[in-house]
């Protein structure tokens, strides 16, 4: 009976020691406060579609010819669909 009480007391002491150790180190692992979301850096661009292949891409990258938008200079030479 004394042997069981000894082991129970030992387990309780070890658990208490581990909890105390973890509680003392908890201050080092605090999560920093949340930052508010920042505004997007890039502005939203309008998209256009290539007259030959149908690919959608930003209008600022368009190659324009004969009133149509193309995704590359190579598609300017090809007929629109």
């Amino acid at each position: 009976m004394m042997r069981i009480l000894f082991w129970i007391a030992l387990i309780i002491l070890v658990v208490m020691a581990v909890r105390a150790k973890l509680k003392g180190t908890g201050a080092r692992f605090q999560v920093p406060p949340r930052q508010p979301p920042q505004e997007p850096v890039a502005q939203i661009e309008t998209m256009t579609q290539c007259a030959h292949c149908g690919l959608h891409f930003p209008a600022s990258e368009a190659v324009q010819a004969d009133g149509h938008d193309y995704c590359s200079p190579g598609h300017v030479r090809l007929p629109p669909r």
Side-chain angles (χ1 to χ4, degrees):
M1 182 71 174
M2 287 298 285
R3 201 180 283 179
I4 293 173
L5 291 176
F6 170 75
W7 285 110
I8 291 173
L10 184 64
I11 291 172
I12 290 173
L13 288 174
V14 168
V15 169
M16 289 174 57
V18 168
R19 281 189 179 177
K21 184 72 170 173
L22 290 177
K23 187 176 180 182
T25 61
R28 285 190 271 165
F29 299 110
Q30 288 182 351
V31 178
R34 238 178 155 188
Q35 299 289 333
Q38 296 184 5
E39 295 183 24
V41 177
Q43 297 294 326
I44 297 174
E45 266 190 80
T46 51
M47 301 294 281
T48 188
Q49 186 176 9
C50 179
H52 177 72
C53 67
L55 177 76
H56 287 86
F57 56 94
S60 63
E61 298 176 13
V63 178
Q64 296 179 345
D66 299 327
H68 296 286
D69 292 331
Y70 296 94
C71 63
S72 68
H75 282 182
V76 172
R77 291 180 265 134
L78 300 172
R81 290 185 181 191

